[in-house]
Amino acid sequence: MAFDYRRLSEAERLSHFRNLVVMSLKDGTVCDPERDLLSFLAAKWGLLPEQAKAVLDNPDQLKVQLAKETEARYHQLFDLTELMIIDGEMRAKERELCMALAVELGFDEASVRIIIEEILGGNQRRDSEAQIHARTRTRLVNAGKWK
């Protein structure tokens, strides 16, 4: 069953999108694959195009509000990790920000490594998003990383 993003508050969803925007800007520019993923994720998280544009234009104007649910936090970390690797490069600044956000979300560096491995492996196997999430969650639970 897919995670229902609509059960999160608008502030939580906007804050998550803000974190994604900050991640994409960490290397100084938003490349086309990042822009495409941001658009997809904004819609997936139930944001209107004008809300997404407002955050893209001024991410620092938004107060950070982290989700309370572990499942929501996992999905936020998954999205951040996916955005970090989508352009085929994992820059030091992006990795540092992703790790800092992972800690804020209740995860650690090992969790991020597991998520990266499962995204890349799932993409190579052409797994569905649901399959990638299922494998990732199983590995996180087995590694004692799911809080």
Side-chain angles (χ1 to χ4, degrees):
M1 181 177 196
F3 178 71
D4 184 2
Y5 302 93
R6 294 171 297 187
R7 70 180 188 220
L8 300 175
S9 71
E10 184 176 272
E12 289 171 325
R13 290 181 285 124
L14 284 168
S15 179
H16 172 54
F17 189 69
R18 175 231 178 255
N19 290 340
L20 294 170
V21 169
V22 169
M23 173 70 75
S24 68
L25 290 170
K26 202 64 177 166
D27 60 5
T29 184
V30 179
C31 68
D32 288 340
E34 289 171 331
R35 188 174 306 285
D36 292 345
L37 183 57
L38 285 169
S39 294
F40 171 78
L41 292 172
K44 180 178 170 181
W45 282 76
L47 300 178
L48 300 172
E50 52 272 14
Q51 289 174 305
K53 183 178 179 343
V55 175
L56 273 165
D57 291 346
N58 286 305
D60 294 330
Q61 297 295 318
L62 195 61
K63 179 182 171 199
V64 174
Q65 182 174 339
L66 298 176
K68 295 167 187 70
E69 300 176 39
T70 300
E71 182 78 5
R73 288 174 177 242
Y74 157 75
H75 281 278
Q76 290 176 342
L77 181 57
F78 188 94
D79 290 348
L80 285 162
T81 306
E82 189 172 31
L83 185 64
M84 178 177 64
I85 64 176
I86 195 154
D87 62 1
E89 297 181 41
M90 192 176 351
R91 292 171 181 81
K93 289 179 181 180
E94 291 173 323
R95 185 174 175 79
E96 288 168 13
L97 177 60
C98 190
M99 293 306 166
L101 290 169
V103 169
E104 284 187 45
L105 292 167
F107 294 92
D108 62 7
E109 188 170 340
S111 301
V112 175
R113 278 196 304 273
I114 289 170
I115 293 171
I116 290 170
E117 290 168 8
E118 289 303 327
I119 290 171
L120 295 176
N123 288 344
Q124 287 178 343
R125 290 186 302 273
R126 300 194 188 286
D127 290 347
S128 70
E129 184 177 347
Q131 290 170 312
I132 294 171
H133 282 299
R135 290 175 61 97
T136 303
R137 279 191 299 267
T138 297
R139 282 193 61 199
L140 289 170
V141 167
N142 290 342
K145 302 298 181 185
W146 190 271
K147 294 180 181 180

